[in-house]
Every structure is written in C-alpha cells, then in structure tokens.
C-alpha cells in the first residue's frame, strides 16, 4: 500500500484510498447525474460538450476512446462523427456510471463497445486511437500524470487528446462562483439527489484541479508535442487539446 498522499476534495488521504472514495461518490450520484448536470450548469454542459465534439479533428472511420465517459454524451457524439465504419469505446472506472451510460445508449439504439477501465492502466494497445477524450473526469483521477501518459501511449502519431474540465474562473467572478459552489450546489444536491456530501466533494474537487496553464504543462510533460486550450464561460471550464506527433 502506498503511503503517498493526495487530495480528496479538501481532505488529504492516502493515494490508495482515493479511488475507493471517488467510487462511492459516483455510485451515489449515477442515477441522478444527468439531471444534476443540467441543474448545476443551467444546461451549459451540453453546450460545452457540443463544442468539444464538433471542433474535434476527427474523420469518418476514426477510432475514439472516451475515458470516464459516464452517461455517454461524448460517445454518442463521437459515434456520429466516425460513422458505422468507425470505432468508439465508452469506458469508465465506475461500474454504476458505465451501466447508466451503456443502457442509455442501448435505449437509443446505439451499440458501442464498453470497458470498465482505469485511466491509469488502459487495456488498449499502443498507437491505436485517433482521438482520446475525457470530459469532467480527469480531476477525479489519483495520479493524473500517469493517466495522461497512458492517454498519450494509446494515441496514434498525429492523434489528439481532448480534456474538457472545470478550470480556473476569471478573477472578477470568483466571489459569486464560490457562493454558488459551496452554498447552492450542496443544497441542490440535497434537494434533488438526496446527497449533499457528494456534491460538496465535487465542488471541492474543482478547486483542487490544476488551472489552465498547469494542466497544459502536465500534458507537455506527459509527452504531447503541442498543447493549447480554449476557455469557455469565463474560465468555468476549459478545453485542452494535446497533439502527439
């Protein structure tokens, strides 16, 4: 067991404990995840994902890995982009989230391969995918550097990693954003999902996630040759794009 420390929200825990604690959160929120996303973001999460899907460098027949794919929003979009001749894998480390996403896609008539997969130890060969995406999942990973290196490994030369994640909001908005995150968000979690603690963690995990420039450097350190990012909604979220040459 590792004695290395990491953060779980604002708590300091052993690295060996974090995955289990994060798993408890997402087992708890899985059934209400889509509803809460709409409520928390005012529907903006759909705009952020739409932008990600439609600006990605991807062609028909491409191979895509959707990491921490949750309820399948990006996977659905990738499937439309690559067509029947393409290949899209929906993966998540959390069985409850993966089941919700798989069932939701099946109900829509979309059959995709799924895998219960740890982003730090991906069960895929080197140089396989044209595109790897992770939306609102990187911040929950224990060893983000290891996960980013795995994403780099499974990408083909010329492939792209897209990381859509909450980031550092523009300075003038910080007081209002803090009020929303630490007062209103847990209250909504309690009222809608009957789970204030999980949404308190989610708010804290956003604050502990690296800011735009720090994440850019982490992706470069993982091996990506070029990295840039695009802020959305005044920095509430950022889309990072890393290219492997």
């Amino acid at each position: 067991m590792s004695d290395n420390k990491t953060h779980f929200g604002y708590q300091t825990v052993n690295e060996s404990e974090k995955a289990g604690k994060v798993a408890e959160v997402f087992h708890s929120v899985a059934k209400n995840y889509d509803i809460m996303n709409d409520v928390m973001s005012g529907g903006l999460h759909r705009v952020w994902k739409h932008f990600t899907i439609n600006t990605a460098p991807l062609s028909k027949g491409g191979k895509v890995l959707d990491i921490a794919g949750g309820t399948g929003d990006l996977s659905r979009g990738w499937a439309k982009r690559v067509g029947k001749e393409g290949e899209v894998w929906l993966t998540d480390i959390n069985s409850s989230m993966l089941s919700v996403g798989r069932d939701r896609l099946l109900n829509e008539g979309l059959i995709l391969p799924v895998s219960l997969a740890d982003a730090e130890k991906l069960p895929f060969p080197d140089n396989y995918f044209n595109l790897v995406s992770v939306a609102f999942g990187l911040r929950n990973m224990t060893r983000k550097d290891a996960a980013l290196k795995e994403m780099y490994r499974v990408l083909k030369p010329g492939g792209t990693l897209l990381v859509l994640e909450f980031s550092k909001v523009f300075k003038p908005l910080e007081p209002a954003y803090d009020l929303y995150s630490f007062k209103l968000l847990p209250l909504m979690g309690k009222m809608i999902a009957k789970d204030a603690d999980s949404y308190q963690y989610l708010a804290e995990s956003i604050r502990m996630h690296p800011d735009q420039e720090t994440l850019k450097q982490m992706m470069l350190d993982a091996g990506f040759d070029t990295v840039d990012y695009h802020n959305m909604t005044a920095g509430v979220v950022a889309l990072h794009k890393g290219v492997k040459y």
Side-chain angles (χ1 to χ4, degrees):
M1 298 288 284
S2 171
D3 289 328
N4 292 334
K5 300 294 184 179
T6 188
H7 57 81
F8 174 73
Y10 287 165
Q11 299 177 44
T12 299
V13 299
N14 291 329
E15 283 190 348
S16 57
E17 296 177 312
K18 181 171 179 176
K21 289 181 175 293
V22 172
E24 290 176 5
V25 169
F26 283 93
H27 284 310
S28 175
V29 304
K31 290 183 179 180
N32 296 294
Y33 193 72
D34 283 333
I35 295 172
M36 283 299 299
N37 272 351
D38 281 329
V39 172
M40 288 188 302
S41 70
L44 281 173
H45 76 102
R46 299 181 185 275
V47 177
W48 302 329
K49 291 170 183 174
H50 180 81
F51 178 85
T52 300
I53 292 164
N54 287 281
T55 59
L58 189 61
S59 303
K60 293 290 185 183
K63 296 179 179 179
V64 183
L65 174 61
D66 185 11
I67 294 175
T71 53
D73 286 344
L74 286 189
S75 289
R76 181 194 303 103
W78 300 139
K80 291 179 181 178
R81 289 287 310 273
V82 302
K84 292 183 179 179
E85 60 270 38
E87 181 180 337
V88 178
W89 280 84
L90 169 62
T91 71
D92 204 292
I93 196 173
N94 186 276
S95 59
S96 295
M97 293 293 292
L98 188 64
S99 295
V100 170
R102 177 203 60 198
D103 292 349
R104 180 177 168 189
L105 294 176
L106 286 173
N107 289 339
E108 297 172 3
L110 188 57
I111 301 173
L112 300 179
V114 300
S115 176
L116 190 67
D118 182 348
E120 297 174 20
K121 301 174 184 177
L122 292 171
F124 299 102
D126 296 354
N127 307 313
Y128 188 78
F129 293 100
N130 302 101
L131 181 75
V132 174
S133 65
V134 54
F136 307 113
L138 184 64
R139 74 181 189 280
N140 297 308
M141 297 175 189
T142 305
R143 289 172 285 273
K144 296 176 182 64
D145 54 345
L148 290 170
K149 288 177 182 178
E150 277 289 271
M151 296 174 203
Y152 178 88
R153 177 184 67 78
V154 301
L155 274 171
K156 293 181 178 181
T160 300
L161 168 65
L162 295 177
V163 180
L164 179 65
E165 187 56 88
F166 290 106
S167 200
K168 182 73 170 178
V169 71
F170 294 175
K171 191 75 174 178
L173 298 180
E174 284 183 356
Y177 191 47
D178 284 345
L179 176 64
Y180 167 79
S181 298
F182 296 109
K183 298 297 183 182
L184 295 181
L185 183 56
L187 180 60
M188 288 189 291
K190 181 178 181 180
M191 294 174 62
I192 298 171
K194 313 302 181 188
D195 185 355
D197 290 344
S198 291
Y199 288 92
Q200 178 73 27
Y201 159 73
L202 292 175
E204 293 176 2
S205 71
I206 292 169
R207 296 307 190 278
M208 298 301 292
H209 185 67
D211 64 18
Q212 290 90 329
E213 285 293 327
T214 302
L215 179 54
K216 176 180 178 179
Q217 188 59 52
M218 289 174 68
M219 291 171 68
L220 291 168
D221 292 343
F224 288 92
D225 296 281
T226 62
V227 179
D228 56 28
Y229 60 86
H230 178 78
N231 284 313
M232 290 183 275
T233 318
V236 171
V237 300
L239 177 63
H240 281 70
K241 180 176 75 173
V243 180
K244 174 182 178 178
Y245 292 156

